[in-house]
């Protein structure tokens, strides 16, 4: 499958400079793109190499202009390139059928063109919108509501009362609405605290593989519009993740914490419970967050500190043995001087 450059430019909302009839057969990285390939130059180092590139077409920023090359100009070349990938690799068509090997509960209501694969389980009083695709091995509990254009990949578990919006993707092995981690100690043993709430996932969310999102103790755990999570993310009971925030692999968020909008939490960062993380906060990898963070801050380290301070601390750490030796030498010299008087 291929497209003319004019078709690609129109599909991604870019401005074409070059041959509109140039036929593009594939997408490639900048370094390996050939005569009938399209690529993108997101960095200045790649832009500088465009005259020597063999690529048939290159997506660039609106500022770039190079004579004799086929260019598609876009405000953000990386986003435009993502749209080209979607154009060349669309989701397969929905079969529009329910497998006879699927288990469907009572009072199941659904919209147009849904697909439920073999060995999937759908509980009682479940509602689907249009164009919902459920892969093999999926478990959907009772009283679950799912919007339109949702993809649920194999071996996902969606527990009772979960609410899922439209255009949501849930990747392999994720568990949504599992029981929260709550136990009351009496000095001898732990007594289980039932979690009777639910999980709400808003529109345009993508959940990575093997995530665990616990339901609320009371009320809800809430993943708001546009949130993206990587693989192996843990979100505890009654957590709220604000709109268009990103949680990278192995992030863990303890119960009842709130993440603001457009936040980025890097890999293996941990956030303690009952904290408030502001809007547009960036948390560095492996950071340990033990206090509230105001909006707009960039923090790193464990315990967390401003990122610039963390950089200074990390430059000093390898020198600590040497600094300790110098301090010991100075201490010995000072003691010798004092002993003379």
């Amino acid at each position: 499958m291929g497209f003319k450059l004019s078709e690609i430019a129109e599909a991604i909302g870019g401005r074409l400079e070059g041959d509109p009839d140039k036929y593009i057969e594939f997408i490639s990285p900048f370094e390996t793109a050939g005569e009938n390939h399209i690529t993108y130059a997101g960095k200045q180092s790649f832009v500088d190499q465009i005259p020597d590139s063999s690529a048939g077409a290159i997506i660039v920023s609106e500022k770039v202009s190079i004579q004799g090359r086929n260019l598609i100009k876009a405000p953000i070349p990386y986003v435009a390139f993502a749209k080209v990938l979607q154009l060349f690799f669309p989701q397969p068509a929905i079969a529009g059928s329910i497998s006879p090997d699927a288990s469907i509960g009572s009072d199941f209501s659904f919209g147009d063109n849904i697909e439920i694969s073999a060995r999937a389980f759908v509980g009682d009083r479940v509602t689907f919108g249009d164009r919902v695709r459920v892969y093999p091995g999926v478990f959907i509990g009772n009283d679950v509501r799912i919007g339109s254009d949702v993809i649920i990949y194999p071996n996902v578990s969606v527990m009772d009362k979960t609410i899922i919006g439209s255009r949501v993707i849930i990747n392999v092995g994720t568990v949504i609405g599992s029981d929260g981690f709550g136990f009351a100690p009496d000095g001898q043993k732990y007594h289980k605290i039932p979690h009777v709430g639910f999980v709400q996932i808003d529109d345009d969310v993508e959940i990575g593989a093997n995530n665990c999102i616990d339901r609320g103790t009371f009320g809800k755990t809430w993943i708001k519009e546009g949130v993206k999570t990587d693989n192996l993310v843990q979100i505890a009971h009654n957590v709220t993740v604000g709109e268009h925030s990103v949680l990278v692999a192995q992030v863990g968020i303890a119960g009842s914490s709130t993440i603001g909008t457009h936040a980025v939490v890097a890999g293996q960062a941990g956030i303690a419970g009952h904290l408030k993380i502001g809007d547009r906060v960036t948390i560095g990898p492996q950071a340990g967050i033990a206090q509230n963070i105001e909006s707009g801050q960039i923090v790193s380290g464990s315990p967390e500190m401003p990122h610039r301070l963390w950089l200074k601390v990390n430059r000093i750490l390898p020198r600590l043995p040497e600094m300790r030796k110098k301090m010991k030498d100075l201490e010995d010299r000072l003691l010798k001087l004092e002993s003379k008087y």
Side-chain angles (χ1 to χ4, degrees), residues 37-56:
H37 297 177
I38 188 170
T39 187
Y40 84 103
K43 299 179 180 179
Q44 185 60 44
S45 59
F46 288 151
V47 173
D48 295 340
Q49 297 176 56
I50 288 177
D52 300 322
S53 172
S54 300

Side-chain angles (χ1 to χ4, degrees), residues 6-339:
S6 57
E7 295 172 327
I8 295 174
E10 182 179 0
I12 69 173
R15 183 165 61 87
L16 174 61
E17 286 187 1
D19 181 4
D21 295 323
K22 172 69 177 177
Y23 193 75
I24 299 298
E25 297 176 350
F26 202 64
I27 308 167
S28 294
F30 186 88
E31 298 87 345
T32 60
E35 174 63 27
N36 296 318
H37 297 177
I38 188 170
T39 187
Y40 84 103
K43 299 179 180 179
Q44 185 60 44
S45 59
F46 288 151
V47 173
D48 295 340
Q49 297 176 56
I50 288 177
D52 300 322
S53 172
S54 300
I58 303 172
I59 300 170
V60 296
S61 73
E62 294 171 325
K63 300 177 182 178
V64 175
S65 185
I66 299 174
Q67 294 296 322
R69 299 309 304 259
N70 294 318
L71 305 177
I72 296 180
K73 296 187 175 183
I76 306 176
Y78 194 29
V79 172
F81 190 63
K83 293 178 180 179
V84 173
L85 282 167
Q86 295 168 13
L87 180 66
F88 274 81
F89 298 98
Q91 284 288 336
I94 295 178
S97 63
I98 298 175
S99 170
D101 293 326
S103 177
I104 308 297
S106 62
D107 298 320
F108 176 43
S109 61
F110 54 90
D112 296 332
N113 200 29
I114 71 163
E115 177 181 330
I116 301 178
S117 299
R119 299 182 302 283
F121 177 93
V122 178
D124 299 334
R125 300 174 301 279
V126 171
T127 301
F128 283 9
D130 302 328
R131 298 173 301 281
V132 174
R133 185 197 301 267
V134 175
Y135 278 81
V138 169
F139 172 90
I140 297 176
N142 298 329
D143 302 297
V144 170
R145 288 185 284 157
I146 297 175
S148 298
D149 300 297
V150 172
I151 302 174
I152 304 178
Y153 282 105
N155 301 321
V156 168
S157 295
V158 181
M159 307 306 289
D160 293 357
K161 300 188 293 184
T162 297
I163 300 172
I164 297 174
S166 295
R167 300 173 302 282
V168 171
I169 299 173
I170 304 171
N171 282 287
V172 177
T174 282
V175 179
I176 295 175
S178 50
D179 204 5
F181 187 74
F183 299 90
D186 64 6
Q188 298 296 323
K189 61 180 182 179
Y190 290 91
H191 299 266
K192 183 175 181 59
I193 298 173
H195 287 67
V196 297
F198 63 99
V199 174
Q200 178 175 324
I201 297 176
D202 290 347
D203 297 343
D204 300 301
V205 168
E206 180 160 354
I207 305 296
N210 293 317
N211 280 209
C212 293
I213 303 176
D214 298 342
R215 64 180 179 265
T217 309
F218 302 100
K220 63 187 175 186
T221 302
W222 192 2
I223 313 301
K224 292 189 175 183
E225 179 182 350
V227 168
K228 314 298 180 187
T229 75
D230 199 353
N231 302 335
L232 298 169
V233 169
Q234 158 67 20
I235 299 174
H237 62 86
N238 296 103
V239 166
T240 297
V241 182
E243 291 90 341
H244 306 289
S245 289
V246 174
L247 310 179
V248 185
Q250 300 182 19
V251 161
I253 305 174
S256 301
S257 284
T258 298
I259 312 296
T261 65
H262 294 92
V264 176
V265 185
Q268 297 187 332
I271 298 174
H274 300 273
L275 297 182
K276 182 175 177 57
I277 310 301
D279 299 336
R280 299 187 182 276
V281 165
T282 298
I283 296 173
Q286 297 186 328
I289 308 303
Q291 61 183 346
N292 296 338
I293 300 176
E294 295 182 0
S295 294
Q297 300 297 304
I298 302 174
V299 300
S300 296
S302 184
E304 80 292 330
M305 63 188 76
H307 182 68
R308 290 181 181 274
L309 175 59
W310 177 80
L311 291 173
K312 293 178 181 178
V313 169
N314 275 268
R315 282 196 292 267
I316 291 171
L317 283 175
R319 297 166 51 201
L320 285 180
E322 177 190 352
M323 294 170 66
R324 181 180 182 276
K325 183 177 182 301
K326 287 183 177 180
M327 290 293 293
K328 184 66 168 61
D329 290 344
L330 288 171
E331 183 180 16
D332 291 344
R333 291 168 62 185
L334 182 60
L335 288 173
K336 287 179 181 180
L337 287 171
E338 288 178 343
S339 67

